[in-house]
Amino acid sequence: MELDHIIRKFIDTQNYSVSPITNGLINSTYLVKNNDNNSKYILQNINTKVFKHPQIIVDNHLKINRMLTAKHYDFKIIKPIASISNEFLVKDPHQQIWRMLDFVENSITFLKVPSAKIAYEAAKTFSIFLNTINMEPLPEIGDSLPGFINFEKRISDYKKALKVASADLKENAANEIQYINDFLSLPEKWIKLQHNNLLPKRIIHADPKISNILFHEEHYPLAVIDLDTVMISTILYDFGDMIRSYTNTANEDEAVTANNFNSEIFKAVKEGFLFHLQEKLTPEEYENLDYAAQVVIYIQALRFLTDYLNGNIYYSITYPEHNLDRTKNQLQLLKGLRKYLNEI
Ligand code: GN1
Ligand code: MG
């Protein structure tokens, strides 16, 4: 078996079982169980087309763990597991990079939020996580994804994709292209705030979607996971992405045609997010929360659409229209959110 080579670098037995976990869109993930002693681990193949310097991810992860350990933090801290030869990153014969992480027993993840209560708990968990790691002076966090929150670049990548895409793809995506083009000026204010240094630099998670929190089977939060994107940027991104992920009544992968935005959850997320952070936010941050949510959803739609037009080179897909369906989902969510914000 292909995986055997790599698993044996981490655990010293042939008596194991392995099964894929198909949640992520970038890395490939497996659950490995050592049947000698019943211990379980998460094994991941790091997508080095996206994360060009995996060592940065490992260093950031260890740094964040040290900060969480040093402070009072009630959630589980996921540790990277060293290989038998004491390395956190291991290369396979195809030059693929692998790592192993703690597995948390009795944990589950959600692909969509089942209730406003879970949304509140998730946002509050991130609020505590962010509050715990944002100590002054900010430690040096490596940039694992240069340009990740550079929206000018996101837009120019989209325009490039539009130029080279086939007529067929553009026809399939005609409505979505129209909508994205109509709102190209939406991120301008954000870009300006960033250029003028009006948004404080903080450590953010940058992928606080609902499946990046482990819940106990009895539905209370256990751990924040997936620290790969942890970076120094504006906390508006994390708030926006929580709204993007938690207010969606559909799975991110479903092509929806009717409203998929839930306003009760919107309120719950805001309350949970502000639980620990309210006093820390500057007026610019606080006043732009609702705006940021729109921009993050818009940029996510634009990223899915860009990838569709580029022939699906970034996000993993299971069928050709997958990224277009994801785009439709995000745009429908954006419409729902904007309608709600206009009404209140
Ligand atoms: C990607 O692979 P995953 O699920 O950790 C993406 C996020 C998107 C998310 C959408 C490095 O995260 O930015 O918001 O998909 N990560 C990267 O589900 O691009
Ligand atoms: Mg991620």
Side-chain angles (χ1 to χ4, degrees):
M1 181 191 192
E2 272 281 307
L3 284 171
D4 184 61
H5 172 88
I6 207 75
I7 293 174
R8 295 295 302 280
K9 296 223 162 177
F10 285 99
I11 58 173
D12 192 15
T13 178
Q14 255 171 333
N15 184 22
Y16 65 81
S17 37
V18 54
S19 53
I21 298 178
T22 55
N23 274 359
L25 274 56
I26 309 286
N27 297 329
S28 320
T29 308
Y30 302 85
L31 172 64
V32 177
K33 184 173 166 211
N34 178 342
N35 293 322
D36 288 339
N37 57 14
N38 281 331
S39 50
K40 291 179 192 156
Y41 308 95
I42 293 295
L43 177 70
Q44 266 188 326
N45 176 227
I46 298 179
N47 181 337
T48 47
K49 277 195 215 142
V50 173
F51 297 105
K52 301 214 164 61
H53 305 285
Q55 189 59 44
I56 297 180
I57 296 180
V58 176
D59 295 345
N60 286 346
H61 189 168
L62 294 170
K63 220 171 264 179
I64 299 292
N65 280 3
R66 279 198 294 272
M67 286 191 267
L68 296 173
T69 311
K71 297 248 210 127
H72 175 81
Y73 181 68
D74 273 339
F75 300 97
K76 288 199 188 312
I77 299 171
I78 309 295
K79 289 187 294 299
I81 291 170
S83 67
I84 294 165
S85 57
N86 207 23
E87 288 163 319
F88 285 123
L89 296 173
V90 166
K91 218 179 244 176
D92 73 11
H94 311 286
Q95 306 301 304
Q96 299 281 321
I97 307 281
W98 296 81
R99 68 158 168 216
M100 200 170 249
L101 301 166
D102 278 341
F103 172 80
V104 178
E105 284 294 342
N106 305 111
S107 63
I108 55 167
T109 52
F110 298 109
L111 286 180
K112 63 180 175 195
V113 159
S115 66
K117 183 163 184 301
I118 295 282
Y120 173 77
E121 289 299 334
K124 189 171 139 192
T125 303
F126 270 110
S127 164
I128 294 169
F129 174 82
L130 293 170
N131 190 44
T132 310
I133 60 176
N134 274 283
M135 44 167 101
E136 295 291 339
L138 282 190
E140 285 193 18
I141 293 290
D143 193 353
S144 66
L145 290 168
F148 188 73
I149 303 185
N150 179 344
F151 296 159
E152 275 170 306
K153 171 133 194 330
R154 295 283 184 206
I155 290 171
S156 76
D157 288 350
Y158 162 70
K159 287 181 176 162
K160 273 184 220 152
L162 206 50
K163 269 199 195 122
V164 298
S166 73
D168 271 3
L169 290 182
K170 281 194 280 196
E171 197 185 312
N172 294 347
N175 292 337
E176 291 68 39
I177 291 171
Q178 184 65 53
Y179 194 92
I180 289 287
N181 288 348
D182 286 348
F183 282 89
L184 274 173
S185 61
L186 184 68
E188 268 171 19
K189 181 180 166 198
W190 179 309
I191 293 168
K192 247 185 230 144
L193 285 165
Q194 269 190 320
H195 273 178
N196 298 337
N197 274 326
L198 290 171
L199 301 172
K201 292 192 171 28
R202 304 188 190 275
I203 306 179
I204 68 164
H205 182 283
D207 194 12
K209 61 188 196 180
I210 194 61
S211 55
N212 277 338
I213 291 198
L214 298 181
F215 280 86
H216 188 272
E217 287 155 352
E218 281 164 21
H219 288 195
Y220 55 84
L222 289 175
V224 167
I225 61 168
D226 186 7
L227 305 187
D228 297 349
T229 45
V230 162
M231 60 179 75
I232 306 276
S233 187
T234 165
I235 204 162
L236 288 181
Y237 188 84
D238 274 1
F239 176 75
D241 204 60
M242 286 180 218
I243 295 293
R244 184 189 76 76
S245 172
Y246 311 164
T247 62
N248 198 339
T249 57
N251 282 351
E252 191 178 86
D253 274 5
E254 271 172 64
V256 290
T257 47
N259 175 50
N260 57 338
F261 170 76
N262 182 312
S263 58
E264 285 315 303
I265 294 181
F266 179 87
K267 289 178 228 163
V269 174
K270 211 177 207 179
E271 202 185 315
F273 175 79
L274 292 174
F275 185 83
H276 262 307
L277 296 169
Q278 177 126 30
E279 283 110 73
K280 289 213 164 169
L281 297 186
T282 63
E284 279 79 16
E285 289 174 320
Y286 190 79
E287 282 156 22
N288 284 302
L289 291 175
D290 294 356
Y291 166 67
Q294 297 172 58
V295 177
V296 173
I297 299 171
Y298 176 78
I299 291 292
Q300 187 64 63
L302 177 144
R303 290 176 64 196
F304 284 144
L305 184 57
T306 302
D307 200 33
Y308 178 72
L309 295 170
N310 279 335
N312 311 307
I313 52 178
Y314 187 86
Y315 292 112
S316 62
I317 55 158
T318 54
Y319 59 95
E321 307 294 286
H322 207 153
N323 276 316
L324 184 58
D325 285 347
R326 289 169 176 152
T327 310
K328 291 180 182 167
N329 177 306
Q330 296 295 305
L331 290 179
Q332 190 68 41
L333 184 70
L334 180 59
K335 283 178 202 163
L337 169 64
R338 286 178 63 83
K339 183 165 175 284
Y340 165 74
L341 292 174
N342 272 331
E343 283 164 5
I344 57 169

